[in-house]
Amino acid sequence: GAVVSQHPSRVICKSGTSVKIECRSLDFQATTMFWYRQFPKQSLMLMATSNEGSKATYEQGVEKDKFLINHASLTLSTLTVTSAHPEDSSFYICSARWQETQYFGPGTRLLVL
Amino acid sequence: AQSVTQLGSHVSVSEGALVLLRCNYSSSVPPYLFWYVQYPNQGLQLLLKYTSAATLVKGINGFEAEFKKSETSFHLTKPSAHMSDAAEYFCAVGYTGGGNKLTFGTGTQLKVEL
């Protein structure tokens, strides 16, 4: 139980384009999902908290117009990296909360050329 | 405010030896504590969690951790290391009412040698 999927697992895009990443809870409903960014050999950095039916809460220093989050249903949250640049290249991981525990997706590797 | 300290960014053990990964936390309210494991290019997998029930918590793959309030610690152990245990391990702290946000430690890379 408590399986979270992410799609795509890997994406390469050109600078200036937008990329959408999906996070789905497969066997439970999640009113709250989280988006993290992880740099090589480092820990996870929380970007934002996604709440179903309401606006996401962004952490300090994270540009909300750059990283658009939509949590339209109890099983789906999306992160759109708008006008991506090479510095946005990273490993993005989502998690979904169930019974006081966060369950993580497999991550999405984004490379912006 | 909450924080997590993982002592030792790299730990190396021999196959069959005891695994001990250290985690100390700081929290002004009763914490929830978690250990996650991450294999290369993958997300995090929950190993075990402490949420104010039994202080000795057993998880998957033979791992366990003991919550010690007096020492503000939640160290992860496994009696006998296996090659497949080689991975990055993260300790995290959260609490009820905190929006369930987690604060992660910096991680410990476990290497298992023959």
Tab-separated table of all heavy atoms in Angstrom, chain B residues 2-33:
chain	number	residue	atom	x	y	z
B	2	GLN	N	12.539	22.736	14.310
B	2	GLN	CA	13.040	21.373	14.379
B	2	GLN	C	14.323	21.252	13.574
B	2	GLN	O	14.525	21.979	12.598
B	2	GLN	CB	12.016	20.405	13.783
B	2	GLN	CG	10.688	20.378	14.505
B	2	GLN	CD	9.705	19.510	13.779
B	2	GLN	OE1	9.316	19.806	12.655
B	2	GLN	NE2	9.299	18.430	14.399
B	3	SER	N	15.145	20.313	13.983
B	3	SER	CA	16.350	20.040	13.216
B	3	SER	C	16.747	18.591	13.409
B	3	SER	O	16.330	17.939	14.369
B	3	SER	CB	17.492	20.966	13.631
B	3	SER	OG	17.884	20.705	14.967
B	4	VAL	N	17.535	18.105	12.474
B	4	VAL	CA	18.028	16.738	12.526
B	4	VAL	C	19.514	16.750	12.218
B	4	VAL	O	19.950	17.414	11.267
B	4	VAL	CB	17.299	15.851	11.492
B	4	VAL	CG1	17.908	14.461	11.465
B	4	VAL	CG2	15.817	15.773	11.804
B	5	THR	N	20.262	16.010	12.989
B	5	THR	CA	21.695	15.864	12.746
B	5	THR	C	22.016	14.402	12.539
B	5	THR	O	21.706	13.568	13.389
B	5	THR	CB	22.512	16.394	13.937
B	5	THR	OG1	22.199	17.778	14.149
B	5	THR	CG2	24.002	16.267	13.652
B	6	GLN	N	22.599	14.108	11.412
B	6	GLN	CA	23.068	12.752	11.148
B	6	GLN	C	24.586	12.775	11.220
B	6	GLN	O	25.249	13.439	10.412
B	6	GLN	CB	22.609	12.277	9.767
B	6	GLN	CG	21.111	11.996	9.709
B	6	GLN	CD	20.675	11.415	8.376
B	6	GLN	OE1	19.887	12.021	7.658
B	6	GLN	NE2	21.172	10.240	8.045
B	7	LEU	N	25.117	12.075	12.189
B	7	LEU	CA	26.561	12.031	12.375
B	7	LEU	C	27.173	11.025	11.414
B	7	LEU	O	26.782	9.866	11.396
B	7	LEU	CB	26.887	11.664	13.816
B	7	LEU	CG	26.543	12.728	14.857
B	7	LEU	CD1	26.804	12.199	16.248
B	7	LEU	CD2	27.333	14.001	14.604
B	8	GLY	N	28.107	11.507	10.643
B	8	GLY	CA	28.758	10.610	9.681
B	8	GLY	C	28.069	10.658	8.338
B	8	GLY	O	27.025	10.050	8.155
B	9	SER	N	28.648	11.359	7.401
B	9	SER	CA	28.044	11.414	6.069
B	9	SER	C	28.320	10.121	5.296
B	9	SER	O	27.604	9.809	4.351
B	9	SER	CB	28.587	12.607	5.286
B	9	SER	OG	29.991	12.529	5.170
B	10	HIS	N	29.368	9.406	5.718
B	10	HIS	CA	29.707	8.134	5.092
B	10	HIS	C	30.007	7.117	6.184
B	10	HIS	O	30.776	7.393	7.113
B	10	HIS	CB	30.925	8.283	4.170
B	10	HIS	CG	30.660	9.104	2.953
B	10	HIS	ND1	30.674	10.479	2.965
B	10	HIS	CD2	30.341	8.748	1.683
B	10	HIS	CE1	30.397	10.924	1.760
B	10	HIS	NE2	30.192	9.901	0.952
B	11	VAL	N	29.398	5.958	6.058
B	11	VAL	CA	29.657	4.856	6.976
B	11	VAL	C	29.954	3.618	6.144
B	11	VAL	O	29.229	3.325	5.179
B	11	VAL	CB	28.445	4.590	7.888
B	11	VAL	CG1	28.626	3.292	8.673
B	11	VAL	CG2	28.219	5.753	8.851
B	12	SER	N	31.010	2.918	6.523
B	12	SER	CA	31.399	1.723	5.802
B	12	SER	C	31.420	0.543	6.769
B	12	SER	O	32.002	0.655	7.852
B	12	SER	CB	32.787	1.917	5.165
B	12	SER	OG	33.140	0.796	4.399
B	13	VAL	N	30.802	-0.555	6.394
B	13	VAL	CA	30.788	-1.762	7.226
B	13	VAL	C	31.079	-2.965	6.349
B	13	VAL	O	30.902	-2.916	5.129
B	13	VAL	CB	29.431	-1.960	7.942
B	13	VAL	CG1	29.123	-0.776	8.847
B	13	VAL	CG2	28.318	-2.176	6.944
B	14	SER	N	31.471	-4.020	6.988
B	14	SER	CA	31.673	-5.274	6.272
B	14	SER	C	30.363	-6.033	6.198
B	14	SER	O	29.500	-5.900	7.084
B	14	SER	CB	32.715	-6.129	6.987
B	14	SER	OG	33.963	-5.476	7.048
B	15	GLU	N	30.209	-6.806	5.169
B	15	GLU	CA	29.006	-7.624	5.058
B	15	GLU	C	28.907	-8.547	6.262
B	15	GLU	O	29.891	-9.184	6.649
B	15	GLU	CB	29.032	-8.453	3.770
B	15	GLU	CG	27.709	-9.152	3.474
B	15	GLU	CD	27.709	-9.852	2.125
B	15	GLU	OE1	28.774	-10.375	1.735
B	15	GLU	OE2	26.642	-9.883	1.479
B	16	GLY	N	27.729	-8.574	6.886
B	16	GLY	CA	27.525	-9.386	8.077
B	16	GLY	C	27.754	-8.634	9.371
B	16	GLY	O	27.392	-9.117	10.454
B	17	ALA	N	28.327	-7.462	9.302
B	17	ALA	CA	28.596	-6.673	10.501
B	17	ALA	C	27.377	-5.832	10.877
B	17	ALA	O	26.453	-5.637	10.092
B	17	ALA	CB	29.801	-5.768	10.268
B	18	LEU	N	27.428	-5.319	12.111
B	18	LEU	CA	26.358	-4.458	12.608
B	18	LEU	C	26.353	-3.129	11.860
B	18	LEU	O	27.399	-2.527	11.622
B	18	LEU	CB	26.566	-4.203	14.100
B	18	LEU	CG	25.672	-3.147	14.750
B	18	LEU	CD1	24.246	-3.670	14.880
B	18	LEU	CD2	26.220	-2.744	16.109
B	19	VAL	N	25.161	-2.679	11.526
B	19	VAL	CA	24.986	-1.357	10.945
B	19	VAL	C	24.430	-0.425	12.021
B	19	VAL	O	23.437	-0.761	12.687
B	19	VAL	CB	24.000	-1.378	9.752
B	19	VAL	CG1	23.738	0.031	9.239
B	19	VAL	CG2	24.536	-2.273	8.642
B	20	LEU	N	25.058	0.723	12.192
B	20	LEU	CA	24.578	1.743	13.127
B	20	LEU	C	24.672	3.096	12.441
B	20	LEU	O	25.767	3.560	12.147
B	20	LEU	CB	25.408	1.751	14.412
B	20	LEU	CG	25.145	2.920	15.380
B	20	LEU	CD1	23.701	2.929	15.843
B	20	LEU	CD2	26.094	2.855	16.573
B	21	LEU	N	23.529	3.692	12.188
B	21	LEU	CA	23.487	5.026	11.606
B	21	LEU	C	22.853	5.954	12.638
B	21	LEU	O	21.759	5.687	13.123
B	21	LEU	CB	22.663	5.018	10.308
B	21	LEU	CG	23.121	4.039	9.229
B	21	LEU	CD1	22.268	4.189	7.975
B	21	LEU	CD2	24.583	4.198	8.902
B	22	ARG	N	23.545	7.048	12.908
B	22	ARG	CA	23.141	7.907	14.016
B	22	ARG	C	22.273	9.077	13.569
B	22	ARG	O	22.518	9.687	12.521
B	22	ARG	CB	24.379	8.441	14.733
B	22	ARG	CG	25.250	7.350	15.319
B	22	ARG	CD	26.472	7.911	16.008
B	22	ARG	NE	27.368	6.856	16.461
B	22	ARG	CZ	27.250	6.236	17.628
B	22	ARG	NH1	26.280	6.585	18.456
B	22	ARG	NH2	28.106	5.291	17.960
B	23	CYS	N	21.289	9.361	14.408
B	23	CYS	CA	20.382	10.485	14.152
B	23	CYS	C	20.019	11.124	15.479
B	23	CYS	O	19.532	10.446	16.383
B	23	CYS	CB	19.121	10.013	13.436
B	23	CYS	SG	17.845	11.292	13.244
B	24	ASN	N	20.267	12.412	15.589
B	24	ASN	CA	19.823	13.179	16.744
B	24	ASN	C	18.887	14.279	16.259
B	24	ASN	O	19.102	14.866	15.208
B	24	ASN	CB	21.006	13.778	17.498
B	24	ASN	CG	21.779	12.719	18.245
B	24	ASN	OD1	22.693	12.093	17.723
B	24	ASN	ND2	21.383	12.493	19.492
B	25	TYR	N	17.895	14.560	17.035
B	25	TYR	CA	16.903	15.532	16.613
B	25	TYR	C	16.739	16.625	17.657
B	25	TYR	O	17.133	16.473	18.826
B	25	TYR	CB	15.547	14.852	16.374
B	25	TYR	CG	14.894	14.389	17.657
B	25	TYR	CD1	14.010	15.208	18.348
B	25	TYR	CD2	15.204	13.150	18.196
B	25	TYR	CE1	13.456	14.804	19.549
B	25	TYR	CE2	14.653	12.735	19.390
B	25	TYR	CZ	13.784	13.567	20.062
B	25	TYR	OH	13.236	13.166	21.252
B	26	SER	N	16.140	17.698	17.225
B	26	SER	CA	15.765	18.771	18.124
B	26	SER	C	14.338	19.169	17.775
B	26	SER	O	14.029	19.423	16.603
B	26	SER	CB	16.701	19.972	17.953
B	26	SER	OG	16.237	21.075	18.698
B	27	SER	N	13.473	19.168	18.783
B	27	SER	CA	12.081	19.523	18.533
B	27	SER	C	11.471	20.085	19.807
B	27	SER	O	11.665	19.530	20.886
B	27	SER	CB	11.295	18.296	18.070
B	27	SER	OG	9.923	18.618	17.867
B	28	SER	N	10.722	21.132	19.680
B	28	SER	CA	10.100	21.764	20.840
B	28	SER	C	8.782	21.093	21.219
B	28	SER	O	8.204	21.386	22.260
B	28	SER	CB	9.861	23.248	20.560
B	28	SER	OG	9.084	23.395	19.391
B	29	VAL	N	8.312	20.188	20.380
B	29	VAL	CA	7.075	19.447	20.643
B	29	VAL	C	7.361	17.964	20.395
B	29	VAL	O	8.369	17.619	19.769
B	29	VAL	CB	5.933	19.923	19.731
B	29	VAL	CG1	5.595	21.373	20.013
B	29	VAL	CG2	6.304	19.739	18.270
B	30	PRO	N	6.506	17.091	20.912
B	30	PRO	CA	6.729	15.658	20.672
B	30	PRO	C	6.865	15.363	19.193
B	30	PRO	O	5.991	15.723	18.398
B	30	PRO	CB	5.468	15.016	21.277
B	30	PRO	CG	5.063	15.965	22.352
B	30	PRO	CD	5.368	17.334	21.806
B	31	PRO	N	7.951	14.717	18.820
B	31	PRO	CA	8.214	14.535	17.391
B	31	PRO	C	7.677	13.233	16.818
B	31	PRO	O	7.430	12.273	17.537
B	31	PRO	CB	9.744	14.516	17.359
B	31	PRO	CG	10.093	13.803	18.632
B	31	PRO	CD	9.062	14.236	19.645
B	32	TYR	N	7.508	13.253	15.521
B	32	TYR	CA	7.411	12.024	14.750
B	32	TYR	C	8.780	11.873	14.076
B	32	TYR	O	9.353	12.852	13.603
B	32	TYR	CB	6.338	12.116	13.659
B	32	TYR	CG	4.919	12.118	14.162
B	32	TYR	CD1	3.859	12.333	13.289
B	32	TYR	CD2	4.605	11.896	15.492
B	32	TYR	CE1	2.541	12.326	13.722
B	32	TYR	CE2	3.292	11.891	15.939
B	32	TYR	CZ	2.269	12.113	15.053
B	32	TYR	OH	0.952	12.106	15.475
B	33	LEU	N	9.297	10.671	14.034
B	33	LEU	CA	10.626	10.444	13.474
B	33	LEU	C	10.569	9.351	12.418
B	33	LEU	O	9.838	8.365	12.572
B	33	LEU	CB	11.605	10.068	14.580
B	33	LEU	CG	11.901	11.198	15.576
B	33	LEU	CD1	12.437	10.642	16.874
B	33	LEU	CD2	12.867	12.197	14.964
